[in-house]
Amino acid sequence: AAIPPADLDPLALLKKMLSFDTQNSGDGGITRPHAEMLKAVWDSANVPSEIIPTPKDGNVHLIARVKGTTAAPPLLLLGHSDVVPVERAKWSVDPFAGVVKDGEIYGRGALDMKGANAANIAGLLRHIDEGAKFDRDIIVLTDTDEEAGPHGSRWLAENHWDKINAGMVLTEGGWFLAQRDGTTPMLITVTRQDKVYFNLDITADGTATHSSKPNPDSAIAKLSRAITSIDTWLAPVALTDVTREYFSALAKATTDRSFKRAIELMLGAKSQRALERAAAVVVQRSSYPWLHQALLRTTHAFVIEDAGYKENVIPSTATLRINCRGVPGGQRPRDFLADIRKQLEGR
């Protein structure tokens, strides 16, 4: 049942959105039931909306359009409906129930990104219910296949550009950073540009034989040694104009003197060695070290490992996929690859 606009609470809408299983395992998600629920919400507010089917059955986009008072280029609010797969055994609650516990909501997609989409839709509909007018059309696109799949926003743009042509797009990204007391705001940031996404595959070869007589050149053992050699290794720090501006603002905003001083030393470093030392202190002092580590350098994460097919056969190959994210304008992917190869020499 649709939620009347006057009663539309962001939490109520989010719980409804989380109740739909829109898992995307790599070939696109099934998003039609979720889209039909949201279309009913738009319909109840008298906002025109349209479901756009893709070539995959059950895989759809939803577009709503709030008319503005001028012909100015529209504003597009973009939120995806598909979510990454769930390992149910790792969850203490039903991942598709929107459980609220201790002031937090639990559900697959609460952060990425049904939460933001619920907030945008609820906020916009509240303005409409109160009689607000906008100087341009506002397009709200709830798209599919953002996580993976062939029919995402690129497919939509190629096939239905007239429905989403806008002057500006607002979507996920950015952070809210608090002081160490956990409540006082330090900095609210927005995403200016995504990092460069690329993958590397490491393959180790060995002798395939029966497991009853193992040889010393195990492919799995070789791969394990390779992983160990780059596990804690860090790519060089690469500050750009954008990240320098971010850390400068962070230093001005924080009340943590030691953190502020570490940032200032990093920004003023005259050599790569001094830069690396200061950056290590910045990450150590940070209340969000994973974020700041990622802003400083190309990162690498071990994501998929594949080896073997039968328990009594030693495999001839073992492969690891590494997902990498490079700082735009920082270290080039080919230079990162060269550094990785140096780390793997002799492994």
Side-chain angles (χ1 to χ4, degrees):
I3 305 170
D7 300 325
L8 191 62
D9 174 73
L11 179 58
L13 180 59
L14 176 55
K15 292 182 71 171
K16 192 76 173 175
M17 293 168 72
L18 292 174
S19 70
F20 291 89
D21 183 347
T22 56
Q23 293 180 79
N24 185 339
S25 298
D27 58 350
I30 302 301
T31 56
R32 178 174 282 278
H34 178 269
E36 289 175 344
M37 179 276 295
L38 281 182
K39 188 177 189 312
V41 171
W42 290 117
D43 289 347
S44 68
N46 297 314
V47 174
S49 63
E50 180 182 9
I51 290 176
I52 307 294
T54 73
K56 178 178 177 178
D57 188 37
N59 183 264
V60 305
H61 299 272
L62 174 66
I63 301 174
R65 194 176 192 115
V66 179
K67 294 299 293 182
T69 58
T70 74
L75 168 65
L76 174 63
L77 301 178
L78 173 59
H80 62 89
S81 57
D82 59 323
V83 300
V84 294
V86 170
E87 294 180 274
R88 286 183 178 268
K90 303 291 186 182
W91 283 72
S92 60
V93 299
D94 182 347
F96 299 106
V99 175
V100 177
K101 184 169 59 174
D102 299 328
E104 297 186 353
I105 188 166
Y106 295 82
R108 173 57 87 219
L111 287 176
D112 189 12
M113 72 165 293
K114 291 179 178 178
N117 208 20
N120 283 339
I121 293 172
L124 182 58
L125 288 181
R126 173 176 287 186
H127 281 304
I128 293 171
D129 188 60
E130 293 173 351
K133 301 293 182 182
F134 306 98
D135 67 350
R136 67 198 63 219
D137 288 4
I138 299 178
I139 305 169
V140 183
L141 168 60
T142 304
D143 72 342
T144 187
D145 287 11
E146 191 275 345
E147 299 294 354
H151 303 120
S153 56
R154 178 185 291 273
W155 176 90
L156 186 64
E158 290 172 349
N159 291 275
H160 300 280
W161 177 245
D162 60 308
K163 299 181 186 298
I164 59 172
N165 185 8
M168 184 179 191
V169 179
L170 295 180
T171 187
E172 62 184 327
W175 309 275
F176 175 90
L177 300 182
Q179 300 288 355
R180 291 189 182 277
D181 61 14
T183 59
T184 307
M186 178 193 301
L187 195 67
I188 298 175
T189 71
V190 297
T191 296
R192 178 188 181 276
Q193 185 177 20
D194 284 345
K195 296 185 76 177
V196 179
Y197 182 111
F198 61 99
N199 291 319
L200 300 177
D201 287 343
I202 299 177
T203 300
D205 296 318
T207 300
T209 185
H210 197 276
S211 61
S212 62
K213 46 180 175 50
N215 289 338
D217 65 336
S218 162
I220 292 177
K222 284 182 181 178
L223 184 62
S224 297
R225 290 193 292 272
I227 294 171
T228 300
S229 70
I230 58 175
D231 180 23
T232 57
W233 172 80
L234 295 174
V237 173
L239 285 174
T240 67
D241 291 344
V242 173
T243 52
R244 280 186 175 277
E245 186 173 349
Y246 167 83
F247 280 107
S248 295
L250 186 61
K252 293 175 182 176
T254 183
T255 58
D256 185 330
R257 292 183 180 180
S258 60
F259 186 41
K260 176 184 177 71
R261 180 56 179 159
I263 295 173
E264 291 171 343
L265 288 172
M266 180 181 73
L267 295 176
K270 302 300 183 183
S271 67
Q272 186 66 31
R273 183 179 179 184
L275 179 62
E276 297 289 344
R277 285 202 309 266
V281 177
V282 169
V283 173
Q284 182 185 37
R285 298 285 187 183
S286 170
S287 60
Y288 201 165
W290 309 278
L291 166 63
H292 292 133
Q293 188 79 277
L295 288 174
L296 288 169
R297 51 171 53 88
T298 299
T299 59
H300 61 286
F302 308 134
V303 292
I304 302 174
E305 190 172 18
D306 184 33
Y309 57 91
K310 201 170 185 294
E311 63 186 29
N312 63 343
V313 176
I314 297 175
S316 61
T317 62
T319 302
L320 171 72
R321 171 152 292 186
I322 305 175
N323 182 244
C324 310
R325 312 289 178 109
V327 176
Q331 186 183 34
R332 295 174 297 182
R334 66 171 175 264
D335 294 330
F336 177 80
L337 176 59
D339 286 347
I340 286 284
R341 282 177 168 154
K342 287 180 183 178
Q343 295 296 315
L344 297 178
E345 287 177 1
R347 299 294 174 180

